[in-house]
Amino acid sequence: MNTKKRILDEALNLFSQKGYTNVLVAEIAEAVGIKAPSLYKHYRSKQDIFDAILAQMKESYDKQAAMLAMDGSNAAADAELFAVVDVDGLVSMGMRLFGFFLHDGYTQKFRKMLTIEQFHHPELAALFSRQYMDDALQYQSAMFEILCKRGVLKGENPYIMALQFYAPIYALLTMCDREPHREAELTALLEQHIRQFAGIYTNPSAM
């Protein structure tokens, strides 16, 4: 593993344990086994390291989405995919995405870091809300709106539909973070949730 990658890995390890604010660049360098001046040859600042971690997370997510034939960010493009997928396919995709967010090392540790920082660092609190609530709801509600207009789904308020779909998934994700020994139980609930949501909102005439 090259030094730049080791710096990101060790920085995120420390951020997830102590929070972003409480970690010094010197601590990151020590964890990597180099001196702080050597670290600055690779990253200009702690913020630069943070930005590189964000970029790494996006790259990992984009790869996972591509493996599922999804865009992952473009609701209009993904609505075309979900318009033709059956319930079993929806469950499979949902479970695989859940597994990615739960087990991808960067994504998991970044979520833990933001959980720590949300009451101490206003900018990271805003990022937490945007990344794990606002953006997800905006993407899903835009997709549900398209699917409702096409008659694939039935529903009056796509944003509320998105909230009803996403909120339990996020709750199960954070429960797995806190109690990893319950993963099998909680992922079984996830499957039931997806199937029930599809049963409630799928338009029978579209089947």
Side-chain angles (χ1 to χ4, degrees):
M1 184 186 301
N2 63 41
T3 302
K4 286 180 71 74
K5 182 65 164 57
R6 287 172 55 213
I7 290 169
L8 297 186
D9 289 352
E10 294 298 341
L12 189 53
N13 280 336
L14 290 168
F15 294 161
S16 68
Q17 295 166 13
K18 302 173 62 175
Y20 175 82
T21 305
N22 293 325
V23 174
L24 303 175
V25 170
E27 292 179 82
I28 300 171
E30 182 180 1
V32 175
I34 60 177
K35 300 294 184 182
S38 297
L39 184 148
Y40 287 121
K41 294 178 182 178
H42 300 282
Y43 297 100
R44 296 184 302 273
S45 63
K46 189 169 72 166
Q47 181 65 50
D48 197 25
I49 294 171
F50 183 89
D51 292 341
I53 289 170
L54 276 176
Q56 180 65 49
M57 286 177 50
K58 184 179 187 307
E59 181 180 339
S60 295
Y61 173 70
D62 288 346
K63 287 180 180 178
Q64 179 65 29
M67 289 173 62
L68 297 173
M70 294 173 55
D71 178 277
S73 301
N74 186 322
D78 288 338
E80 296 301 318
L81 171 64
F82 287 105
V84 296
V85 72
D86 61 13
V87 176
D88 288 338
L90 181 63
V91 168
S92 177
M93 295 175 73
M95 300 287 277
R96 288 175 66 182
L97 279 172
F98 186 86
F100 167 78
F101 283 109
L102 181 60
H103 294 297
D104 179 76
Y106 270 46
T107 303
Q108 179 191 57
K109 291 174 184 176
F110 193 81
R111 185 170 61 249
K112 290 181 179 179
M113 177 198 69
L114 292 182
T115 300
I116 293 171
E117 287 290 345
Q118 63 181 314
F119 301 112
H120 306 291
H121 193 299
E123 291 181 5
L124 293 185
L127 176 61
F128 195 10
S129 294
R130 185 169 67 251
Q131 183 143 331
Y132 293 107
M133 188 58 67
D134 296 338
D135 286 355
L137 290 174
Q138 182 178 7
Y139 162 78
Q140 290 179 4
S141 63
M143 188 163 56
F144 289 157
E145 182 175 10
I146 293 168
L147 294 174
C148 285
K149 287 180 178 178
R150 292 182 56 175
V152 176
L153 298 179
K154 55 184 179 180
E156 297 180 358
N157 188 324
Y159 190 86
I160 296 301
M161 292 170 65
L163 188 62
Q164 291 170 338
F165 182 71
Y166 177 72
I169 294 175
Y170 184 72
L172 292 171
L173 183 66
T174 58
M175 288 172 71
C176 284
D177 282 341
R178 292 189 298 273
E179 303 180 76
H181 61 280
R182 298 181 62 190
E183 181 178 342
E185 168 201 350
L186 298 173
T187 52
L189 284 176
L190 171 65
E191 178 176 354
Q192 294 174 45
H193 163 61
I194 295 173
R195 289 188 183 279
Q196 180 166 302
F197 182 89
I200 292 170
Y201 283 111
T202 299
N203 191 340
S205 63
M207 298 177 66

